Amino acid sequence: MKIALISDIHSNLFYLRRVLEEIEKEKVDDIYCLGDLVGYYDEPDEVIKLIKSRGIKCVKGNHDKYLLGELPYDINREKIYRIKQQRESLSSESLEFLRNLRDEIILEVNGRKIYMTHSLPNDCETYIYDLRSLGLYLLRGGINYYFFGHTHIPMVTYHYGICFSNPGSVGQPRDFTKCSSYAIVDFEKEEVKIKRVKQDVETYIQKIKGHYDEQLIEILIRGGF
């Protein structure tokens, strides 16, 4: 079995289409999204419709929960997050799709246990930069693969024998490459690889410039905060 992992699309349909084009070449069995379909950029409803049409399995991220009113957020960041505007722009079908997403997905493949969530178990807002606090908890749970998003920074590493992977971000890369990224997981080979996708950053910026806060433009130009 081979799957693709994506995360943190943030309403960026322009980038998402390019990433899915590349994933199609990988001949995967399934695609999983690790949260944050919405927030920040320009086409939240279109992103959700594409995700639905492709049968991509998703978990909820913090921005998805902000939009649904399941988590409070700093109202001073509204001009960047654009939660209220996006909430009003979503169709009832798209809102229902977000509501029905789970916080976690647990699979078993070839006797291996796979855990997927946006960040920490039962906490989609805290960033995972240090894995040491997770190790013993996950050993007790028998986890073999832990897949998460939220940081927008791709990584694959091993800790206490567990494979941790973050596919990075589709819609707002923060690793200073300006490239979207995703992960391919081959369970037969027990192999996880990060793939990067070059984006036409200038074309997308011209599309949204003048309508969005300059900080959102600068993140795309620099490829990071």
Side-chain angles (χ1 to χ4, degrees), residues 5-21:
L5 301 174
I6 61 175
S7 192
D8 297 276
I9 302 165
H10 287 300
S11 309
N12 189 337
L13 183 69
F14 188 86
Y15 280 22
L16 175 61
R17 283 176 171 158
R18 276 285 299 120
V19 169
L20 292 180
E21 285 174 6

Side-chain angles (χ1 to χ4, degrees), residues 11-157:
S11 309
N12 189 337
L13 183 69
F14 188 86
Y15 280 22
L16 175 61
R17 283 176 171 158
R18 276 285 299 120
V19 169
L20 292 180
E21 285 174 6
E22 293 302 309
I23 289 175
E24 282 180 8
K25 301 173 186 177
E26 302 283 350
K27 307 298 183 186
V28 298
D29 297 292
D30 278 307
I31 304 173
Y32 290 84
C33 178
L34 304 177
D36 277 1
L37 283 69
V38 301
Y40 293 132
Y41 294 107
D42 60 327
E43 297 185 85
D45 202 51
E46 291 78 2
V47 162
I48 293 172
K49 287 176 180 176
L50 181 55
I51 290 289
K52 287 175 63 178
S53 72
R54 294 293 300 270
I56 296 171
K57 301 169 179 68
C58 309
V59 297
K60 280 180 187 169
N62 55 305
H63 282 261
D64 307 319
K65 291 194 172 195
Y66 296 158
L67 188 143
L68 293 168
E70 296 178 2
L71 277 179
Y73 67 96
D74 183 356
I75 196 66
N76 294 318
R77 297 189 66 79
E78 175 62 32
K79 68 177 183 177
I80 297 172
Y81 288 174
R82 300 172 65 85
I83 297 299
K84 290 181 180 179
Q85 184 179 54
Q86 292 202 358
R87 186 184 294 138
E88 293 171 0
S89 73
L90 288 187
S91 66
S92 57
E93 292 82 7
S94 292
L95 281 168
E96 189 65 15
F97 179 81
L98 283 183
R99 285 192 195 98
N100 288 330
L101 296 182
R102 292 174 282 171
D103 290 347
E104 61 184 18
I105 293 174
I106 301 173
L107 303 174
E108 189 166 317
V109 179
N110 297 341
R112 300 292 191 177
K113 190 172 181 180
I114 299 101
Y115 184 87
M116 304 183 192
T117 193
H118 188 58
S119 189
L120 292 165
N122 305 311
D123 178 1
C124 63
E125 290 188 292
T126 298
Y127 291 95
I128 300 178
Y129 293 116
D130 185 347
L131 301 177
R132 287 174 294 181
S133 61
L134 275 171
L136 294 177
Y137 164 82
L138 292 169
L139 281 175
R140 287 195 294 270
I143 302 293
N144 301 108
Y145 293 89
Y146 188 103
F147 300 140
F148 65 101
H150 194 41
T151 67
H152 297 213
I153 299 172
M155 57 85 75
V156 180
T157 192

Side-chain angles (χ1 to χ4, degrees), residues 187-215:
F187 291 109
E188 299 300 324
K189 297 179 179 178
E190 296 199 33
E191 181 179 79
V192 182
K193 290 185 176 180
I194 298 295
K195 305 277 188 166
R196 286 183 167 82
V197 180
K198 290 184 179 179
Q199 297 284 1
D200 187 349
V201 180
E202 289 305 320
T203 295
Y204 184 60
I205 287 172
Q206 289 306 311
K207 181 175 184 285
I208 66 173
K209 198 170 181 63
H211 304 286
Y212 288 79
D213 188 273
E214 280 300 313
Q215 183 178 346

Side-chain angles (χ1 to χ4, degrees), residues 149-200:
H150 194 41
T151 67
H152 297 213
I153 299 172
M155 57 85 75
V156 180
T157 192
Y158 292 82
H159 187 59
Y160 288 116
I162 300 164
C163 177
F164 291 85
S165 183
N166 185 327
S169 174
V170 169
Q172 193 191 73
R174 296 181 190 168
D175 63 348
F176 295 93
T177 67
K178 296 192 284 189
C179 294
S180 297
S181 59
Y182 63 95
I184 294 293
V185 186
D186 189 326
F187 291 109
E188 299 300 324
K189 297 179 179 178
E190 296 199 33
E191 181 179 79
V192 182
K193 290 185 176 180
I194 298 295
K195 305 277 188 166
R196 286 183 167 82
V197 180
K198 290 184 179 179
Q199 297 284 1
D200 187 349

